[in-house]
Every structure is written in C-alpha cells, then in structure tokens.
Amino acid sequence: MFVHRDRTLYDVQLSVSSADGHELLPAVNAMRRFYEATKALLHHTESYQNYLDEDLPAPEYLHRYYGKNLERLVAVKRSVDPHNVFYSSRSIPTSLP
C-alpha cells in the first residue's frame, strides 16, 4: 500500500542549477525558506520518497517517506539485506535510529 494515498495530495518539486556552479546558495536558501513556509501553511508531514531530500535529517525522512509502513519495511530490509549491501543515504535502514 502506498502510504500517502489516503489524503489530499499535492506535488511541488523545486530544483536549481547553474551552468558554472556559481551563485547557487541564494537560490537554495530561497527554496529552503519556501519549503519551511509551505510546511507551516499546509502542515505537511509527509514527503514523496522518489524526490530524495538530503536536507531532511534521520529519522525525520524515514517517517516522512514511509509513514505507518516504516516498521514493516525495516523488518523486510533486515531479513533480505541484513548487511545493508543495497544502501543509499535515504534507503530503508536495517534498524531504526
């Protein structure tokens, strides 16, 4: 079951890029302010796991991405990948922090 399907959904994806890599910090900071403003305004507590957000700390990203499915997914991960071979910075861990 997709954890986010039982509520009103909206999708906002923000990105910034530069041909030479300069002057990105002001744009990144503006996006962070926008995110915090929408979080306060819309009270969102979930995030779509296919839009990985490196700014979200653990365990917040785990709860935002996987919600009520998190404990079950950690148990599955622990049973099929106990050595965490399939790892990324936002993958399901083998145990909860």
Side-chain angles (χ1 to χ4, degrees):
M1 177 184 163
F2 185 65
V3 73
H4 308 301
R5 290 217 171 128
D6 62 345
R7 47 191 57 79
T8 302
L9 298 176
Y10 60 91
D11 181 15
V12 176
Q13 182 179 18
L14 304 172
S15 66
V16 63
S17 63
S18 170
D20 60 7
H22 293 89
E23 302 301 322
L24 290 179
L25 189 56
V28 169
N29 287 336
M31 288 191 309
R32 288 178 176 146
R33 287 190 306 274
F34 176 82
Y35 174 81
E36 290 302 322
T38 62
K39 194 162 82 170
L41 178 67
L42 301 173
H43 309 289
H44 57 79
T45 58
E46 299 173 339
S47 295
Y48 184 49
Q49 55 270 55
N50 284 354
Y51 296 159
L52 297 182
D53 185 347
E54 296 293 334
D55 283 347
L56 291 175
E60 182 182 352
Y61 82 88
L62 293 168
H63 295 285
R64 290 185 71 87
Y65 291 162
Y66 305 112
K68 63 186 176 190
N69 296 334
L70 179 59
E71 289 185 20
R72 182 176 53 85
L73 292 168
V74 168
V76 170
K77 170 75 172 194
R78 191 172 33 250
S79 71
V80 299
D81 186 19
H83 302 293
N84 210 18
V85 174
F86 298 101
Y87 169 81
S88 79
S89 64
R90 291 293 181 247
S91 62
I92 296 168
T94 56
S95 64
L96 291 174

